[in-house]
């Protein structure tokens, strides 16, 4: 009892301190040189087509693959100095592969239909998060000690996309060890938001979200253990899908999740045009796609919608921005008016403990008692385990190669492990929450929930709101499929969005609802366009 009063006071004190620091940081930043411009808008027509459409036109000889690849290379060269998203390219190899595609089509040995079936993305460019292996590209996950690690093979999902004919252009930035929601590390620096370079791109698949939104890539590969696909997709105003756990193979990424963490890690598609989500997911998943019903028609009128506007007041997490709440209300209104459905407002009380549940589950041992690899070990990358407090001292003296969030994560992990008794309770709570969602959503329910409490914050601000990723992370623990869907721009021209959540193996529900919303809410917006 005494302890809980103490704990509560400590949390309140920390909250007050972090608010004060945020205000001071904003003040200090407003004196420095400010650059709040977006990137120049994409105007070239080939940059404004979905992957599906590019593939169709290439197959039908309406456009040349070489021209598409060349157009994207030029766009990356134009925008990358501003946003720092692509960290290694393979442009020469991509152009060579594009010529081969054009030759294959010119020979005319295969009819259009069979090309569509066997290589649905023939000739379409894509990018890959640096932590996911692309043969010949660095595979460091932003760890300075892995600076010279070059992937020798492709990750499973990259293999699948290449088999479908897609052409990789390069790899993009992420946060150190993929464990933070600002993409900034001591190897590649900081990636900047294409709508306003003063803002973050999110993480850990932040370079992907950024280069796709800046029209430097059509589509990309991300991975998500606490929101790493959905947060960058949200901050950059594009689509991202975290599939049902176990649907898409995770092989070939660093860190490769082991133990229970492997249950939370999901690899998935990110893209600008909603029509690419389902075809990409089909290609990336491989044979396991038969576990879901992506081709099943969905009648929105028959979907049961549930909406929750905030987590119920967790002391660790910021309040949801009023513009995001307004966007969510506009969405529920649209669904009700357009489809005659009744969106039910729900309060799921355990969502308030999302952050605690996620951290307890991340450190929980396997059912066989084995622990999964800790971040301490991963950060050392086969070297000596790092000692977080000592690392923090070194950091302050400017001697540590690690980022503050990564060191903070190791400390949080140690604290979470020490709290064994409350972890048992939290794990139980997680099971109960899972049942609650299963019963609520069934095979016809979609749950609307904010993607994040804040619209793309300024650089460094996440350090003072470290647990805001709880809004996405809870669905990794629950293993549910979630589509992040853009909902237009804020008054400051920054992306708004929402998470559409369905029950296990009902990915088709949230994906099809997202398709219905693209037209009404405008989908991706060209940054910098009037
Ligand atoms: C990426 O990193 C892993 C882990 O250290 C390494 O073993 C491998 O060479 C790289 N992956 C691939 C598939 O090449
Ligand atoms: C299919 O999913 C299971 C787990 O659900 C996984 O073990 C297996 O490797 C997957 N198969 C492929 C080919 O990705
Ligand atoms: C993950 O990495 C460990 C150690 O590098 C390796 O033994 C294991 O096979 C890898 N697992 C997967 C699923 O790639
Ligand atoms: C787990 O939760 C259930 C349902 O609320 C409760 O009945 C049970 O006592 C809990 N068990 C533990 C070990 O806390
Ligand atoms: C700003 C910054 O540090 N950019 C770096 C991104 O990564 C490339 C490739 O390693 C470097 O050349 C840039 O300097």
């Amino acid at each position: 009892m005494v302890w809980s009063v103490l704990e509560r006071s400590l949390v309140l004190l920390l909250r007050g301190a972090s608010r004060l620091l945020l205000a001071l940081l904003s003040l200090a930043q407003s004196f420095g040189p400010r650059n709040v411009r977006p990137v120049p808008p994409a105007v070239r027509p080939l940059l404004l087509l979905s992957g599906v459409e590019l593939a169709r036109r290439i197959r039908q000889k309406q456009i040349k693959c070489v021209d598409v690849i060349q157009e994207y290379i030029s766009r990356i060269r134009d925008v990358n100095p501003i946003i720092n998203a692509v960290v290694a390219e393979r442009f020469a190899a991509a152009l060579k592969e594009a010529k081969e595609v054009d030759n294959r089509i010119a020979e005319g040995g295969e009819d259009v239909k069979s090309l569509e079936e066997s290589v649905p993305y023939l000739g379409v460019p894509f990018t890959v998060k640096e932590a996911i292996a692309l043969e010949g590209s660095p595979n460091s996950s932003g760890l300075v000690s892995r600076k010279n690690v070059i992937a020798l093979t492709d990750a499973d999902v990259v293999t699948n996309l290449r088999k479908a004919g897609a052409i990789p252009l390069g790899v993009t930035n992420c946060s150190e060890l993929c464990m933070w929601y600002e993409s900034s590390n001591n190897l590649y620096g900081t990636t900047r938001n294409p709508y306003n370079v003063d803002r973050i791109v999110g993480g850990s698949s932040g370079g992907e979200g950024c280069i796709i939104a800046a029209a430097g890539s059509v589509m990309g590969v991300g991975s998500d253990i606490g929101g790493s696909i959905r947060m960058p997709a949200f901050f950059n105003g594009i689509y991202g899908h975290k599939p049902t756990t176990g649907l898409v193979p995770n092989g070939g990424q660093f860190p490769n999740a082991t133990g229970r963490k492997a249950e939370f890690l999901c690899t998935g598609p990110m893209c600008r045009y909603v029509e690419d989500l389902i075809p990409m997911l089909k290609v990336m998943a491989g044979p396991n796609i038969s576990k879901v019903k992506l081709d099943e028609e969905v009648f929105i009128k028959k979907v049961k919608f549930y909406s929750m506007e905030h987590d119920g007041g967790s002391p660790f997490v910021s309040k949801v921005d009023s513009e995001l709440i307004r966007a969510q209300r506009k969405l529920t209104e649209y669904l009700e008016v357009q489809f005659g459905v009744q969106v039910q407002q729900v309060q799921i009380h355990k969502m308030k403990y999302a952050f605690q549940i996620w951290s307890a589950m991340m450190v929980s041992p396997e059912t066989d008692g084995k622990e999964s690899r800790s971040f301490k070990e991963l950060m050392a990358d086969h070297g000596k385990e790092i000692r977080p407090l000592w690392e923090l001292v070194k950091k302050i003296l400017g001697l540590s190669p690690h980022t503050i969030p990564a060191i903070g994560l190791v400390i949080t992990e140690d604290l979470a492990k020490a709290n064994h008794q409350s972890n048992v309770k939290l794990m139980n709570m997680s099971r109960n929450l899972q049942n609650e969602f299963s019963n609520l959503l069934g095979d016809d329910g979609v749950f609307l929930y904010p993607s994040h409490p804040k619209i793309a914050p300024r650089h460094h601000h996440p350090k003072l709101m470290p647990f805001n990723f709880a809004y996405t992370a809870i669905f990794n623990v629950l293993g549910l499929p979630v589509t992040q869907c853009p909902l237009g721009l804020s008054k400051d021209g920054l992306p708004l969005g929402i998470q559409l959540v369905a029950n296990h193996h009902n990915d088709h529900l949230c994906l099809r609802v997202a398709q219905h919303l693209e037209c009404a809410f405008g989908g991706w917006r060209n940054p910098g366009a009037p």
Side-chain angles (χ1 to χ4, degrees), residues 32 95 108 181 247 267-268 278 289 310 365 390 417 454 483 500:
L95 278 170
Y181 77 90
L247 192 62
T267 306
I278 289 180
I289 203 66
H310 56 77
W390 174 232
K417 273 187 186 155
K454 295 275 185 197
T483 306
L500 307 169

Side-chain angles (χ1 to χ4, degrees), residues 84 87 188-189:
N84 192 37
V87 296
Y188 301 124

Side-chain angles (χ1 to χ4, degrees), residues 1-12 425:
M1 186 63 204
V2 176
W3 177 236
S4 104
V5 170
L6 260 179
E7 242 173 1
R8 213 163 290 170
S9 325
L10 192 67
V11 167
L12 286 179
K425 271 196 208 139

Side-chain angles (χ1 to χ4, degrees), residues 308-358:
M308 191 166 148
E309 293 176 352
H310 56 77
D311 67 2
S314 163
F316 295 103
V317 176
S318 305
K319 268 169 85 171
V320 178
D321 191 290
S322 59
E323 270 195 276
L324 287 169
I325 292 185
R326 272 203 300 281
Q328 186 164 346
R329 287 187 185 159
K330 218 170 109 190
L331 168 60
T332 56
E333 246 177 66
Y334 170 80
L335 290 169
E336 291 184 338
V337 170
Q338 198 69 23
F339 298 100
V341 296
Q342 181 77 48
V343 179
Q344 197 183 325
Q345 300 295 323
V346 288
Q347 270 309 321
I348 299 171
H349 297 289
K350 297 181 192 77
M351 292 300 267
K352 190 171 159 182
Y353 302 97
F355 165 67
Q356 291 98 311
I357 293 175
W358 182 83

Side-chain angles (χ1 to χ4, degrees), residues 218-239:
V218 187
M219 54 194 202
V221 179
S223 54
D224 186 319
I225 198 169
S228 286
I229 287 175
R230 291 159 289 156
M231 285 187 286
F234 165 67
F235 293 135
N236 296 286
I238 61 165
Y239 294 90

Side-chain angles (χ1 to χ4, degrees), residues 84 86-88 187-190 192:
N84 192 37
V86 175
V87 296
L187 200 50
Y188 301 124
T190 303
R192 292 181 280 277

Side-chain angles (χ1 to χ4, degrees), residues 5 21 55 63 113 168 187 332 373 427 477 527:
V5 170
L21 284 169
I63 54 176
K113 198 77 207 145
L187 200 50
T332 56
R373 290 217 290 162
M427 284 165 70
V477 172

Side-chain angles (χ1 to χ4, degrees), residues 266-517:
C266 295
T267 306
M270 299 171 77
C271 55
R272 251 186 290 149
Y273 298 99
V274 76
E275 75 170 330
D276 280 322
L277 273 181
I278 289 180
M280 273 190 88
L281 185 58
K282 282 184 180 170
V283 168
M284 288 167 77
N288 271 344
I289 203 66
S290 61
K291 292 183 189 163
V292 287
K293 308 158 263 186
L294 295 187
D295 290 324
E296 196 168 295
E297 205 173 339
V298 173
F299 299 97
I300 305 290
K301 278 184 192 345
K302 293 192 178 154
V303 175
K304 297 203 171 77
F305 288 96
Y306 304 94
S307 176
M308 191 166 148
E309 293 176 352
H310 56 77
D311 67 2
S314 163
F316 295 103
V317 176
S318 305
K319 268 169 85 171
V320 178
D321 191 290
S322 59
E323 270 195 276
L324 287 169
I325 292 185
R326 272 203 300 281
Q328 186 164 346
R329 287 187 185 159
K330 218 170 109 190
L331 168 60
T332 56
E333 246 177 66
Y334 170 80
L335 290 169
E336 291 184 338
V337 170
Q338 198 69 23
F339 298 100
V341 296
Q342 181 77 48
V343 179
Q344 197 183 325
Q345 300 295 323
V346 288
Q347 270 309 321
I348 299 171
H349 297 289
K350 297 181 192 77
M351 292 300 267
K352 190 171 159 182
Y353 302 97
F355 165 67
Q356 291 98 311
I357 293 175
W358 182 83
S359 23
M361 294 298 282
M362 284 291 276
V363 299
S364 68
E366 289 302 281
T367 31
D368 60 7
K370 267 195 284 194
E371 277 190 32
S372 48
R373 290 217 290 162
S374 70
F375 290 111
K376 258 196 277 207
E377 290 172 71
L378 288 168
M379 259 166 87
D381 188 31
H382 306 297
K384 223 168 104 205
E385 249 185 31
I386 75 148
R387 284 178 295 163
L389 292 177
W390 174 232
E391 208 60 39
L392 199 59
V393 173
K394 273 169 55 185
K395 182 78 200 170
I396 291 162
L397 298 174
L399 297 172
S400 170
H402 298 291
T403 53
I404 287 273
I407 299 169
L409 177 80
V410 173
I411 296 174
T412 314
E413 194 182 46
D414 281 354
L415 287 176
K417 273 187 186 155
N419 219 342
H420 184 71
Q421 229 172 4
S422 79
N423 284 353
V424 172
K425 271 196 208 139
L426 287 163
M427 284 165 70
N428 192 34
M429 198 189 272
S430 169
R431 272 191 299 275
N432 295 335
L433 183 58
Q434 191 142 32
N435 290 336
E436 209 173 324
F437 265 106
S438 261
N439 294 336
L440 182 73
L441 295 175
D443 280 328
D444 59 357
V446 169
F447 177 67
L448 315 176
Y449 197 58
S451 301
H452 195 79
K454 295 275 185 197
I455 298 166
R458 283 164 147 189
H459 294 292
H460 304 298
H461 285 214
K463 289 183 194 121
L464 295 167
M465 315 179 266
F467 307 126
N468 281 357
F469 69 92
Y471 271 81
T472 42
I474 190 65
F475 300 111
N476 296 81
V477 172
L478 301 172
L480 300 174
V482 188
T483 306
Q484 137 65 35
C485 180
L487 291 180
L489 299 179
S490 74
K491 61 181 187 330
D492 293 330
L494 291 163
L496 303 169
I498 188 103
Q499 296 187 88
L500 307 169
V501 186
N503 208 351
H504 295 115
H505 296 105
N506 281 291
D507 298 54
H508 65 296
L509 285 177
C510 40
L511 290 164
R512 295 282 175 196
V513 170
Q515 281 181 349
H516 280 278
L517 301 181

